[in-house]
Amino acid sequence: MNFLKFITKKIYLFIFSLFLSFGFITSSYAVDITIWDLSGRNGQDEFYDNLNKEYKKINPDVNIILQTFENEAYKTQIQVALNGNDGPDVFFNWFGEDSARLARAGLALDITPYANVEGGYGNYISEGLSNTTAVNGKIYGVPNTSVSKYFHYDPAFFEANSLAVPKTFDDLLNLCRDIRAIDSSIVPWPLGNSERWKLNHVITMLNQRVVGEENTAADYNLSASEDELFTNPAYVEAWQKVVDLQDAGCFQDAPNATHPDLTRSMFASQISPMIYCGTWCGGIFNGEGFSDFSYFRFPEVVGGAGAATVGFLVPSGMMVSAKTAHPEIAAHVASFMVSDDMALQAAELMGFMPSNPTKIGEMSNPTHWFNFYVNDIADKTGHVNVLDVLLEANVSNAYLDMGTEILNRTKTPQEAMDFIRQVALEAKAAM
Amino acid sequence: MNKNNTQTNSFSLSNDKVSATILLVPALIFCTIFIFIPAIGTIVGSFYSYSLTSMNNWKWVGFGNYVKATQDEYFWVALKNNFIIVFASIVLQVGVGTILAAILDRGIKYGRVIFRTIIFTPMVISSVAVSLIWLIIYDPNVGILNAIFKSIGLSTPSKGWLGDPNISIWMIMITAAWQNTGFMMVLILAGLQGVSKEVYDAAEIDGATGVKAFWYITLPMIRNVLIVAILITTIGAFKVFEFIFVFTQGGPSNATQVLGTYIYLQAFNLLHMGYANALSVILLIIALFLGWLQLKSSRKA
């Protein structure tokens, strides 16, 4: 009997302590919002620390937890995580086919209802920008920045050798030849295509300049008829321009075996006088000790169907997981990231081209490259998204593969386009 | 008395069975959760078409994914590369491992432990770390391999060691051999040390020494160890993933694609999860066959 009493007492004690614990938990109820972002951005840790602090001022019970991932690995991990039950609440994405696919699959949350609530993203960014994330009229993301690409060059080298900034594609070819004539060991334009996307960015621009964005649209979204899909001969011409660049000695010998990081270092250490690099590169060059660089746009292709005033622009930002337990708070956190003060901090700390430019004038000591990027993006008459974000996955992979083949000369431009057309036809049939 | 004994025996027998079952249950639970259920899921999934972003929309295709594999040029490239890796691994890892083991066993008198440790060391480094180090060595712009070739007046591949589709797979093989030969050497060395010295003494009297003794005495005596080493290498070669993924991700132009990386490409980049499942089942069948062979030869050994 004593034993039974002893056991009963222990059970009561256990239940009592359980109630106490529950009371303790509920009294300090807090919401964790996990954000997944790419790693390696300058000033990223400071930005997210500040985001957490600032957000706590308006919502003290919310903890923002940042988890970062390497660029290439992220593309796979985010898909796996969103299908599981332990994924992020808010996550980074590039806005294009990648983000649209997640929306269509029901893995991303429709955040249209949160646009115009208090503190909603609709208060901070333009409708046009929000629409870059739209699928069937619903908004699935909050763009917080955009990336573009420019030729960065070493003006001291250009001046010392009386070289001029190229205005046309032929000028660019001649520039490469002139640099090789000065010293054949100098690589005019180092190209690191070991991950395949570097040349993909170049062919994105060449397609725009040669084929023209109006002519590519139906092919890119696979809405062109089967007889016409990717049959425009200008696509072959665009690939031929890559061959021309290689023949003019622009690139180093083995672009497919060279990592993009190395080519950035070649430019930053002034081994090479120019590079086609994104708006994230200015900070990297500066970090590696070279800040006296200048820039020019991807040159015009004379006779091409696309305007030289159109540029490369990939909007990116945050999406909300459809599986988040706190959709309202998650959407609010994503919106808060583009609020006036946080957009300013993103620009100052991480060099973002902010989607909310309200306080851009208040930036303390903006860098010369930041000013250039912001002003030039605003000056452009139109933008094209990059092919590896824009195209259907199989067609995108075909374009990436053909870039490697063209550089290795294992396929001609015509053979490359025949292959891409075949893949596009199969992708269209599977839709 | 006899009756009692029989009762005791049958009781202890059933008691043993219960104990054995209880002891097996945790392992069975883990195997079921982490091996059997995913394997069955993979086999079932191979008969459907679906993607990672459309998990709720499975479309029955029957054997369509298997038929697709037979018509897929890159599947055959990947399978061929797996066989190339098997062949090269056997030659480089087991072959060189055997020679090194023989040298350490009977060829040198001093420093055996030091040499054994040095040769075995790469084995304890992660494959990803090894790949990243060799990636720098093979770099066409700043890599030491190019510098060595140029310093002795030799030309280097213009597309780079890893950028040239004709040689990239072999460069990866060299790295894999560098890492794994030490393990093969230790395995074979253990076999060699099991060979009685008296056999060599007897052979010496009959005039068999040096290479002759190695060929006619050593190799036949360690035959079973060599079979196990070859099977371990073969299975490893079919499972290869990290080296290829870090070095080339199957490129350039799918030249270094193996089944492991091709399955990854189809599942996570091209979003053909059903097809990736079918390829995984094919790889599973190959691995099961090789595993059966290994088990058979291990028992023999």
Side-chain angles (χ1 to χ4, degrees), chain A residues 134-170:
Chain A
V135 176
N136 298 328
K138 292 175 179 170
I139 305 296
Y140 286 91
V142 182
N144 56 19
T145 187
S146 300
V147 294
S148 187
K149 271 200 137 168
Y150 294 96
F151 276 95
H152 295 68
Y153 73 100
D154 179 357
F157 180 89
F158 272 55
E159 200 179 318
N161 294 287
S162 307
L163 299 168
V165 167
K167 288 193 170 57
T168 66
F169 185 79
D170 288 340

Side-chain angles (χ1 to χ4, degrees), chain B residues 245-275:
Chain B
F245 194 74
V246 176
F247 271 123
T248 59
Q249 294 189 323
S253 324
N254 293 296
T256 58
Q257 207 69 264
V258 290
L259 282 178
T261 51
Y262 196 53
I263 289 167
Y264 180 90
L265 175 80
Q266 289 292 341
F268 300 113
N269 291 1
L270 304 183
L271 310 171
H272 301 149
M273 191 57 88
Y275 183 47

Side-chain angles (χ1 to χ4, degrees), chain B residues 15-84:
Chain B
N15 206 22
D16 283 351
K17 275 184 181 173
V18 171
S19 304
T21 310
I22 290 169
L23 288 170
L24 275 174
V25 164
L28 277 173
I29 290 171
F30 280 113
C31 283
T32 305
I33 294 171
F34 294 111
I35 298 174
F36 302 138
I37 292 175
I40 292 166
T42 304
I43 293 166
V44 172
S46 71
F47 296 108
Y48 289 86
S49 171
Y50 68 103
S51 81
L52 202 57
T53 52
S54 63
M55 296 296 274
N56 300 323
N57 183 22
W58 289 36
K59 190 178 150 199
W60 172 259
V61 292
F63 283 92
N65 286 323
Y66 293 95
V67 174
K68 185 179 169 185
T70 61
Q71 297 163 348
D72 182 350
E73 177 193 348
Y74 296 127
F75 164 72
W76 292 109
V77 169
L79 194 61
K80 186 191 83 185
N81 281 339
N82 272 115
F83 278 108
I84 288 174

Side-chain angles (χ1 to χ4, degrees), chain A residues 76 79-80 83 101-102 105 107 252-254 257-258 262 393-394 397 401 404-405 408 419, chain B residues 52-53 55 74 139-142 158-160 163 165 252-254 264 268-272:
Chain A
T76 304
Q79 296 180 63
V80 177
N83 272 292
R101 192 171 58 239
L102 297 181
L107 297 173
Q252 77 285 6
D253 267 351
T258 304
L262 185 84
N394 293 277
N397 189 58
D401 271 350
T404 309
E405 299 263 20
N408 267 352
F419 181 82
Chain B
L52 202 57
T53 52
M55 296 296 274
Y74 296 127
D139 187 279
N141 308 285
V142 294
S158 62
K159 293 170 187 167
S253 324
N254 293 296
Y264 180 90
F268 300 113
N269 291 1
L270 304 183
L271 310 171
H272 301 149

Side-chain angles (χ1 to χ4, degrees), chain B:
Chain B
M1 191 66 186
N2 282 343
K3 198 180 173 186
N4 285 344
N5 272 348
T6 314
Q7 276 176 344
T8 313
N9 284 343
S10 66
F11 175 75
S12 62
L13 193 69
S14 64
N15 206 22
D16 283 351
K17 275 184 181 173
V18 171
S19 304
T21 310
I22 290 169
L23 288 170
L24 275 174
V25 164
L28 277 173
I29 290 171
F30 280 113
C31 283
T32 305
I33 294 171
F34 294 111
I35 298 174
F36 302 138
I37 292 175
I40 292 166
T42 304
I43 293 166
V44 172
S46 71
F47 296 108
Y48 289 86
S49 171
Y50 68 103
S51 81
L52 202 57
T53 52
S54 63
M55 296 296 274
N56 300 323
N57 183 22
W58 289 36
K59 190 178 150 199
W60 172 259
V61 292
F63 283 92
N65 286 323
Y66 293 95
V67 174
K68 185 179 169 185
T70 61
Q71 297 163 348
D72 182 350
E73 177 193 348
Y74 296 127
F75 164 72
W76 292 109
V77 169
L79 194 61
K80 186 191 83 185
N81 281 339
N82 272 115
F83 278 108
I84 288 174
I85 292 170
V86 167
F87 173 74
S89 298
I90 290 171
V91 172
L92 291 172
Q93 293 174 30
V94 182
V96 176
T98 306
I99 293 166
L100 289 172
I103 292 168
L104 285 181
D105 186 47
R106 295 174 59 82
I108 56 169
K109 286 182 180 172
Y110 306 105
R112 285 178 188 175
V113 176
I114 294 170
F115 283 120
R116 197 171 58 200
T117 308
I118 290 170
I119 297 167
F120 188 75
T121 302
M123 187 64 204
V124 301
I125 307 171
S126 125
S127 301
V128 174
V130 167
S131 307
L132 289 172
I133 293 164
W134 280 80
L135 209 52
I136 299 167
I137 293 171
Y138 290 148
D139 187 279
N141 308 285
V142 294
I144 193 167
L145 191 62
N146 261 24
I148 291 170
F149 266 63
K150 283 176 183 169
S151 69
I152 55 175
L154 294 173
S155 63
T156 55
S158 62
K159 293 170 187 167
W161 299 102
L162 296 170
D164 189 331
N166 296 317
I167 58 169
S168 47
I169 190 84
W170 298 103
M171 302 317 293
I172 297 171
M173 285 317 309
I174 289 170
T175 309
W178 177 81
Q179 184 178 32
N180 296 319
T181 301
F183 176 66
M184 288 300 137
M185 180 200 73
V186 169
L187 189 73
I188 295 159
L189 188 59
L192 287 175
Q193 286 169 349
V195 178
S196 167
K197 300 293 172 199
E198 287 164 6
V199 178
Y200 290 109
D201 292 341
E204 200 174 344
I205 293 166
D206 290 338
T209 54
V211 176
K212 215 172 183 179
F214 179 75
W215 190 256
Y216 290 106
I217 309 288
T218 312
L219 285 184
M221 297 284 281
I222 61 163
R223 179 178 161 272
N224 290 329
V225 177
L226 285 176
I227 289 172
V228 172
I230 287 169
L231 282 167
I232 290 173
T233 309
T234 306
I235 292 167
F238 266 99
K239 291 192 324 189
V240 66
F241 180 84
E242 305 98 310
F243 281 119
I244 307 285
F245 194 74
V246 176
F247 271 123
T248 59
Q249 294 189 323
S253 324
N254 293 296
T256 58
Q257 207 69 264
V258 290
L259 282 178
T261 51
Y262 196 53
I263 289 167
Y264 180 90
L265 175 80
Q266 289 292 341
F268 300 113
N269 291 1
L270 304 183
L271 310 171
H272 301 149
M273 191 57 88
Y275 183 47
N277 279 342
L279 297 177
S280 301
V281 172
I282 294 170
L283 184 59
L284 178 72
I285 291 166
I286 295 169
L288 280 176
F289 174 71
L290 294 172
W292 172 76
L293 268 184
Q294 186 186 15
L295 206 63
K296 209 178 159 192
S297 59
S298 298
R299 281 176 182 161
K300 216 174 175 183

